[in-house]
Amino acid sequence: MPGIYRFSMSDLNKEIAEVTSMKIPAVLLFGLPNHKDSSGSQAYATDGIVQQAVRAIKKSAPQLVVATDVCLCEYTDHGHCGVIRNRTVENDETLELLSRIAISHAEAGADIVGPSAMMDGQVQAIRQGLDRRGFQETAIMAYSAKFASAFYGPFREAAESSPLWGDRRSYQMDPPNRREAMREIEVDIREGADIVMVKPALSYLDVIRDATVRFRHPLAAYNVSGEYAMIKAAGQNGWFDDKQVALETLTAIKRAGANIIITYFAKDAAKWLREVN
Ligand SMILES: [Zn+2]
């Protein structure tokens, strides 16, 4: 994707210095391990890439809020979000691993863990795991309403996390299901989510709005890779002013009710908003 890079440990500090200088309040980390296996063991390794990155950021920029993605798909050789038995995802075995991942991130210093696997009971399992280890203060941002979306395409390529076979439709939500989204959000709040999320953002603004009105719980909207890529591509082709369209889009997400916006436009937007003011 134009303007978006993966970082190694050696160039992380420079990027974090830039992010903090732009007054961006938080970052969300995804890891790309050297080695993938069937149980995604690099996801919960003490010296895993995300754990190393969290420690480094907390050392150089302690005030920056660090959130981490808690899932297995970037770490498993089959590319699915959980443990696989007979070509289906084993929900309960996966919960144990997700809890281990979250604990390892909290140990490294993460402020927020973001379970994105869409397994049943994942928020409760992670909350219990964190509390047992003394991490009551670590917040959970639940990917509550995560729709099976074609807008994730560019990210999957960047994170090399496309499933080897099948897709994630058995554990992600069907795009037309607005009521199911409300149920999923309600369950996550009950299980202890500090922040709930709607993902993607742009094609689901009605879901963001509904959730805001109904729950009045901190809500994050994830402006995903495909939403970013199409605006950038049209801008590069001279079809419209990508800066204006991006800001209009982010405004729409905010207007719908999101308290937190996760976006690839973060650095652009921080710069543009400063120019405006
Ligand atoms: Zn996943």
Side-chain angles (χ1 to χ4, degrees):
M1 286 193 293
I4 302 298
Y5 306 97
R6 311 193 303 207
F7 297 98
S8 63
M9 284 305 293
S10 55
D11 35 52
L12 181 65
N13 271 343
K14 191 165 159 272
E15 178 69 9
I16 292 301
E18 201 183 334
V19 162
T20 49
S21 76
M22 299 176 110
K23 300 197 165 34
I24 291 169
V27 290
L28 173 59
L29 303 184
F30 292 81
L32 200 62
N34 282 330
H35 160 78
K36 303 190 184 209
D37 56 33
S38 63
S39 65
S41 61
Q42 280 301 304
Y44 41 88
T46 312
D47 62 347
I49 190 69
V50 166
Q51 292 80 353
Q52 288 183 48
V54 172
R55 273 186 234 112
I57 295 170
K58 279 294 165 188
K59 205 166 152 195
S60 68
Q63 77 289 0
L64 184 67
V65 172
V66 177
T68 58
D69 181 68
V70 173
C71 199
L72 284 159
C73 51
E74 288 152 62
Y75 303 89
T76 50
D77 47 16
H78 47 70
H80 280 278
C81 300
V83 180
I84 301 291
R85 302 260 175 257
N86 301 322
R87 295 218 154 189
T88 55
V89 176
E90 260 305 318
N91 194 84
D92 292 359
E93 262 181 84
T94 301
L95 292 184
E96 265 169 57
L97 294 187
L98 294 176
S99 179
R100 272 177 80 173
I101 299 170
I103 290 165
S104 73
H105 290 176
E107 278 169 349
D111 303 290
I112 301 173
V113 292
S116 62
M118 291 298 281
M119 296 297 133
D120 291 334
Q122 62 178 9
V123 172
Q124 188 177 33
I126 288 172
R127 185 72 272 158
Q128 286 172 351
L130 288 171
D131 289 354
R132 262 201 304 273
R133 300 292 286 269
F135 295 111
Q136 284 89 352
E137 298 298 314
T138 308
I140 298 177
M141 174 170 69
Y143 287 57
S144 307
K146 185 179 180 185
F147 290 90
S149 171
F151 283 100
Y152 304 147
F155 172 87
R156 282 194 191 150
E157 202 157 299
E160 297 167 11
S161 67
S162 294
L164 268 189
W165 39 264
D167 56 33
R168 302 195 179 108
R169 289 186 183 275
S170 64
Y171 43 96
Q172 294 183 355
M173 287 176 10
D174 223 11
N177 295 4
R178 192 164 56 169
R179 281 195 303 266
E180 186 190 2
M182 293 305 114
R183 280 200 300 276
E184 295 283 352
I185 291 169
E186 194 173 356
V187 167
D188 281 352
I189 292 173
R190 212 182 307 135
E191 288 186 17
D194 301 280
I195 302 163
V196 289
M197 188 200 291
V198 175
K199 181 182 179 185
L202 205 45
S203 308
Y204 300 88
L205 290 175
D206 56 325
V207 178
I208 293 173
R209 186 73 200 145
D210 281 0
T212 304
V213 170
R214 184 154 163 180
F215 300 110
R216 303 196 175 279
H217 200 74
L219 184 103
Y222 201 133
N223 181 216
V224 303
S225 57
E227 298 173 321
Y228 171 84
M230 65 183 181
I231 291 175
K232 280 285 180 186
Q236 283 180 347
N237 275 306
W239 294 337
F240 60 39
D241 179 344
D242 56 338
K243 172 184 163 182
Q244 295 303 330
V245 173
L247 287 173
E248 192 174 329
T249 301
L250 294 172
T251 302
I253 297 168
K254 181 75 187 160
R255 192 184 59 229
N259 307 106
I260 296 167
I261 301 175
I262 299 164
T263 178
Y264 295 91
F265 285 113
K267 283 165 68 179
D268 283 339
K271 195 171 97 215
W272 294 333
L273 291 173
R274 206 166 318 157
E275 287 166 7
V276 172
N277 295 319

